[in-house]
Amino acid sequence: MTIIVCIKQVPARESHLRPAGGWVEEADLSYEINEPDAFALEEGLRLKEQHGGETVVLSAGPARVVQTIREALAKGADRAIHLEHENPRAFSPLETARFMADAIAGEKPDLVLTGLQSDDLGYGHTGVILAELLGLPHATIVMQVEVRDGALRVKRELEGGWFQHVEMPLPALLTIQSGIGALRYATLMGIKKARTKEIRRVPLEAGPGDAGFQVERVSLPARSKATRLFDGSPQEAAAQLVEKLKFEARVL
Amino acid sequence: MSILAVLEQRAGAWNRVSFETLAAAQQLGEELGREVSAAVAGAGLENLASELGGHRLGRGYAVDHPLLENYTADGYTLALGQLIERIKPFLVLFPHTYQARDFAPKLATRSGRVLLSDAIGHRVENGGLVMVRQFFQGKINADLRFAGEPPYFASLQAGAYRADRLAPGSCPVETFRPELEAAQIRTRPLEVFREAETTVDLGSAERIVSVGRGIREADNLPMVQKLAEALGAELAASRPICDNGWLPMERQVGSSGQTVSPKLYLAVGISGAIQHLVGMKGSKTIVAINKDPEAPIFEVADYGIVGDLFQVVPALVEELEKRK
Ligand SMILES: Cc1cc2nc3c(=O)[nH]c(=O)nc-3n(C[C@H](O)[C@H](O)[C@H](O)COP(=O)(O)OP(=O)(O)OC[C@H]3O[C@@H](n4cnc5c(N)ncnc54)[C@H](O)[C@@H]3O)c2cc1C
Ligand SMILES: Nc1ncnc2c1ncn2[C@@H]1O[C@H](COP(=O)(O)O)[C@@H](O)[C@H]1O
C-alpha cells in the first residue's frame, strides 16, 4: 500500500499568541507537529508494517516545516513531499488543499490520512476537501482502521460516547482522531536513517485566487466572566480558595 | 437569495443543536432582510416535515430519498447539492456537529466555496456580514468576511446561538426528491454503538477534580488523586490524558466523553478547549488552576489560581486536611 500522511506544523501548544499585522506575532514562536497528525502518522506507519508498501509524509508550509518532516522520517516514514509555501496565510484552505491534491494525485495512493483538525486554524475540513478534490470516499474522526481484502473498515467517533463502523473501498481518505494508538518515539537508528531519505520539494508558484473568506481583524478574546483570582503564595491562595468554596459557593 | 439552515436528524429525532442553527438563520434573515428556509435530509420524513412547518420560515424542505435513510457523506452531498443548485441560497448554515464536519466541507467544495467552520457569532456592519470564529484553540478571536460570490457556507459552534430564541410560526414544507443512485454512495455505514458499560458515573458526582496535560506525566497523577480524595471528588480528565492511556476513557470529560454538571468542577492544568468546555460548563462552581492567565478555561471559571499546579495542588491538599 502507498499511504500518504498529511502532517502540518503548528505553533507549539503553550505558545503565547499576540495579534499583530492582521494575524499573530510569529517571530518568537516555536513549532511542532499538529497533535492529531502525529496519530495519523502513527496509524500510517502501523498499516505499512502490517500490509507492506510505503508511508509518505506530505507537509505544506515554509522552510521551517522540514524539521517536522525530518522527525516523521525518523519515526519511520519512507520519504516526504514538501510543498513549499512561503506565506501559508495568503492561501485559502481550498487552495492549500488543491496544491496538496495535485501532489497526492501523482502518487496514486491507496490511502490518504490527515488529522481531523489543526490546532492553529482549527478548520477541521482540509481532509474532507482533499477527499472531494481527489474523488475519494472518506470517513472523519476515525479511531480504528482495518484493511481487509482491498477494502476498509473503520471505527468513527460520534458525539457523546457513540461510535460507528463504516466500510468503504480503497483508495480512500481518513481523518484521524487523537488517541488512535500509542505514539512511537524516533530511535537513534531512525534519526540516522532519516538523513538519507528523500524529501521531494514542490515549489508553489500560483498566486492566491478565490479566498473563500478573509480574516479582517484579529483580537484576544474578551473575557465575559469575572473570575475571582486568588494570589499570594500557593499556601495563601489555597487557603483563600478553600474559604470561598466553603462559605461563599458552599460546595464543600 | 435566502438563508438556508440545514438541520440534523437521526432515526427521525432532531439533533437539538439544529434549533440553534435555525434560530441563528432567523436572526440573520431579519438583520439582512432575507428570506429564511430550512432543510432536513433523510428517508420517510413525514413527521419531521410537519414539525418543520411549525416554524417562522419562508419555506421548509424535506429532502427525502430511501438512500438517505442512513447518513452518508456521499448521499447528503449529492442530495443537498441538488437542493442548493435549485434554490441558489445566499448563505447555507449548519450546526458544527460531527455529521456536518463530515460532509459540509465536501458540499462547499462542490460549489467551489470554502466552509467557514465553527463560527461563534456574527455582526452585520453596513449591510455586510462579519462572522466571528476562533483560532489557536480559543486563544485568538477573528472577524471574517466571505469573499467572492454566494452561496456562502458556515457552520455554527454548539452553544453560540440560543435555541430558545426560535420564533414559532408556520411555513409550507416541500418534499424535495433528489436524484440518487446506490452506486454513487461509496461508504457503507453500520450500526452505531457504545463501548461496554462504564464503571464510573461522573454524571452523578457532586464534586469532580479534572486533570489535564499540565500534569506532564502519568507519574504525577497521584498528587491530583490526593486532591480528589481530600475533596471527596471523582477524578476526571481532559482528552490527552485518556489518549495517553493514563486514565481510562470513561473518565474523559468533553464532547467526545462525558457531560457533567457537578456542584464543584476543579480543573487542574486544563487549557479549556471548546471540546472540553462543552462537557463541563454547566457545573455550578468552576475552579481553574493554570499557570497561564490567558488560558480559555478562565472564561468559564468562577474561581481561579494562576500558578504552578505542582505547588498549588499540594498546598490545597494541605489546607483541606488542616481543616478536617
Ligand atoms: C472532535 C474533537 C473532540 C474532542 N473531544 C474532547 C473531549 O471530549 N474532551 C477533551 O478534554 N478534549 C477533547 N478534544 C481535544 C481538545 O481540543 C483539546 O486538545 C484538549 O481538551 C486539551 O487538553 P488539555 O487542556 O489537558 O491540554 P492543553 O491544551 O495542552 O493544556 C494544558 C494546560 O495546562 C497548563 N499548564 C501546563 N503546565 C502547568 C503547570 N505546571 N501548572 C499549571 N498549569 C499548567 C497550560 O497553561 C495549559 O493551559 C477534542 C478535540 C476534537 C477535535
Ligand atoms: N499545510 C498543511 N500541510 C499538511 N497537512 C495539512 C496542512 N494543512 C492541513 N493539513 C491536514 O489537514 C488536517 C486538518 O486541518 P484543518 O482543516 O486546518 O483543521 C490537519 O490535521 C493535517 O493533517
Side-chain angles (χ1 to χ4, degrees):
Chain A
M1 289 216 298
T2 300
I3 303 165
I4 307 263
V5 185
C6 301
I7 55 173
K8 186 179 188 186
Q9 191 189 56
V10 297
R13 220 166 280 123
E14 296 193 10
S15 301
H16 275 267
L17 299 161
R18 286 283 164 273
W23 189 236
V24 295
E25 180 56 68
E26 288 177 334
D28 299 327
L29 295 181
S30 60
Y31 292 87
E32 62 191 13
I33 188 170
N34 183 45
E35 183 169 43
D37 303 2
F39 286 95
L41 173 63
E42 180 59 42
E43 191 57 25
L45 295 174
R46 193 188 68 81
L47 287 168
K48 181 193 77 171
E49 284 158 6
Q50 256 182 11
H51 302 279
E54 56 170 0
T55 307
V56 183
V57 290
L58 176 143
S59 191
R64 59 172 157 77
V65 310
V66 172
Q67 174 65 25
T68 297
I69 288 177
R70 290 244 180 258
E71 285 162 16
L73 293 172
K75 283 189 169 190
D78 297 284
R79 57 189 173 86
I81 303 168
H82 175 200
L83 302 182
E84 288 175 311
H85 202 311
E86 280 315 318
N87 181 10
R89 272 187 307 116
F91 298 88
S92 79
L94 178 56
E95 289 168 312
T96 305
R98 278 198 185 116
F99 293 135
M100 291 168 68
D102 288 345
I104 292 170
E107 296 284 335
K108 304 214 178 338
D110 298 288
L111 188 61
V112 181
L113 303 179
T114 72
L116 83 163
Q117 186 165 314
S118 60
D119 282 345
D120 54 351
L121 301 180
Y123 293 134
H125 58 202
T126 303
V128 179
I129 297 173
L130 265 179
E132 173 66 13
L133 296 176
L134 292 165
L136 300 178
H138 77 267
T140 50
I141 320 193
V142 167
M143 291 293 288
Q144 201 179 300
V145 184
E146 282 171 75
V147 179
R148 265 198 237 142
D149 311 322
L152 272 180
R153 179 186 161 93
V154 304
K155 178 173 149 191
R156 285 191 66 206
E157 179 181 302
L158 306 179
E159 279 127 334
W162 291 89
F163 296 93
Q164 182 175 36
H165 284 118
V166 177
E167 296 176 341
M168 73 194 82
L170 288 172
L173 182 143
L174 304 174
T175 82
I176 302 294
Q177 168 67 298
S178 294
I180 192 168
L183 297 179
R184 69 190 65 196
Y185 293 97
T187 59
L188 262 179
M189 182 63 138
I191 294 167
K192 240 190 200 158
K193 273 193 183 159
R195 293 195 194 121
T196 61
K197 288 179 177 169
E198 180 199 64
I199 302 178
R200 180 157 68 88
R201 295 164 54 181
V202 183
L204 301 173
E205 280 140 17
D210 188 4
F213 46 78
Q214 276 155 0
V215 176
E216 204 172 64
R217 204 177 74 94
V218 169
S219 59
L220 292 176
R223 293 267 168 263
S224 59
K225 184 153 181 173
T227 305
R228 176 80 194 257
L229 294 177
F230 305 109
D231 34 39
S233 69
Q235 288 70 23
E236 286 159 2
Q240 293 174 66
L241 173 61
V242 172
E243 188 74 16
K244 290 290 176 197
L245 291 180
K246 252 194 150 92
F247 300 108
E248 193 176 86
R250 296 172 191 278
V251 291
L252 293 188
Chain B
M1 280 167 116
S2 66
I3 295 170
L4 175 68
V6 177
L7 312 184
E8 188 170 317
Q9 60 94 20
R10 196 166 79 201
W14 295 108
N15 182 339
R16 314 286 311 168
V17 268
S18 299
F19 298 128
E20 296 176 11
T21 307
L22 197 56
Q26 285 179 338
Q27 201 178 320
L28 274 156
E30 219 155 89
E31 292 169 20
L32 295 170
R34 289 181 185 273
E35 186 172 301
V36 179
S37 55
V40 58
L45 292 173
E46 291 75 15
N47 290 342
L48 294 179
S50 75
E51 283 173 35
L52 196 55
H55 294 289
R56 202 188 69 206
L57 293 170
R59 186 174 287 273
Y61 297 94
V63 182
D64 205 322
H65 195 287
L67 288 171
L68 298 176
E69 165 134 33
N70 293 311
Y71 163 79
T72 60
D74 283 337
Y76 270 48
T77 302
L78 284 163
L80 290 166
Q82 289 169 23
L83 179 69
I84 288 168
E85 184 76 2
R86 202 194 87 196
I87 67 174
K88 301 203 178 347
F90 168 74
L91 172 66
V92 187
L93 294 175
F94 308 85
H96 190 65
T97 57
Y98 280 32
Q99 189 175 97
R101 283 164 170 273
D102 197 61
F103 79 93
K106 183 177 170 74
L107 186 58
T109 304
R110 203 158 282 189
S111 303
R113 298 293 183 278
V114 186
L115 172 75
L116 196 159
S117 59
D118 210 11
I120 59 166
H122 77 275
R123 285 196 312 275
V124 176
E125 273 177 18
N126 307 325
L129 180 58
V130 177
M131 301 295 294
V132 184
R133 97 186 277 286
Q134 298 189 308
F135 288 98
F136 301 97
Q137 303 231 347
K139 290 183 188 160
I140 290 284
N141 270 25
D143 293 346
L144 302 132
R145 262 184 212 269
F146 290 108
E149 295 299 309
Y152 305 129
F153 294 81
S155 63
L156 308 176
Q157 189 168 97
Y161 288 87
R162 293 180 50 178
D164 59 8
R165 299 263 171 87
L166 196 59
S170 72
C171 70
V173 179
E174 175 186 331
T175 300
F176 179 81
R177 300 213 182 273
E179 281 174 37
L180 293 180
E181 284 164 34
Q184 292 173 306
I185 296 171
R186 297 166 294 180
T187 57
R188 196 163 83 89
L190 306 173
E191 287 301 293
V192 299
F193 63 96
R194 272 184 188 275
E195 301 288 30
E197 274 311 300
T198 52
T199 53
V200 279
D201 181 12
L202 294 179
S204 63
E206 292 219 327
R207 287 178 281 273
I208 290 176
V209 171
S210 197
V211 57
R213 182 147 40 196
I215 195 70
R216 287 210 289 261
E217 298 173 21
D219 288 349
N220 297 330
L221 279 175
M223 185 182 81
V224 185
Q225 176 78 51
K226 253 196 197 156
L227 175 60
E229 279 160 20
L231 285 164
E234 281 286 355
L235 188 62
S238 66
R239 176 156 192 136
I241 302 301
C242 303
D243 281 349
N244 286 335
W246 298 351
L247 283 174
M249 272 285 255
E250 60 184 15
R251 292 197 181 263
Q252 181 180 315
V253 168
S255 63
S256 49
Q258 302 211 35
T259 300
V260 300
S261 47
K263 283 201 308 199
L264 173 65
Y265 189 91
L266 198 158
V268 180
I270 292 178
S271 61
I274 181 65
Q275 296 88 2
H276 188 79
L277 298 186
V278 295
M280 46 64 76
K281 66 182 177 193
S283 306
K284 185 166 159 267
T285 299
I286 297 171
V287 182
I289 298 171
N290 198 304
K291 66 173 186 191
D292 176 7
E294 286 165 15
I297 189 77
F298 288 114
E299 179 60 24
V300 299
D302 301 283
Y303 301 107
I305 297 179
V306 175
D308 182 358
L309 71 90
F310 295 100
Q311 293 180 7
V312 175
V313 171
L316 261 176
V317 173
E318 199 181 308
E319 180 67 28
L320 287 161
E321 277 170 359
K322 209 164 69 188
R323 287 176 181 247
K324 276 215 168 121

